[in-house]
């Protein structure tokens, strides 16, 4: 899992799974509020969002998304 921060500064953990069907080639990202819990939320990274073949780029995009787009936690 990768640690990230939300817009409010909440620490979260992200788990990355290759996506399928309409988003094949992209990623399904699960958001956890602590490492031992069930996932709290999720979002998709589409192949148009970043270089989905480069895991560093995928992780950086996910961290950016959590910091800029998610405000509820």
């Amino acid at each position: 899992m990768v640690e990230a921060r939300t817009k409010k500064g909440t620490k979260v953990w992200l788990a990355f799974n290759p996506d399928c069907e309409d988003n094949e080639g992209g990623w399904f990202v699960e958001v956890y509020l602590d490492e031992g819990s069930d996932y709290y939320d999720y979002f998709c990274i589409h192949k148009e969002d970043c270089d989905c073949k480069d895991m560093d780029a995928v992780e950086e995009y996910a961290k950016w998304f959590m910091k800029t787009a998610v405000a509820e936690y």
Side-chain angles (χ1 to χ4, degrees), residues 12-53:
V12 295
W13 288 264
L14 308 175
F16 299 85
N17 301 291
D19 215 339
C20 58
E21 296 181 17
D22 292 341
N23 195 33
E24 188 170 351
W27 292 89
F28 180 81
V29 184
E30 297 172 329
V31 180
Y32 295 82
L33 297 180
D34 64 58
E35 291 182 284
S37 69
D38 291 334
Y39 77 90
Y40 176 78
D41 201 358
Y42 65 89
F43 62 94
C44 293
I45 298 176
H46 302 95
K47 53 189 167 200
E48 299 82 25
D49 294 333
C50 66
D51 180 0
C52 285
K53 294 178 183 173

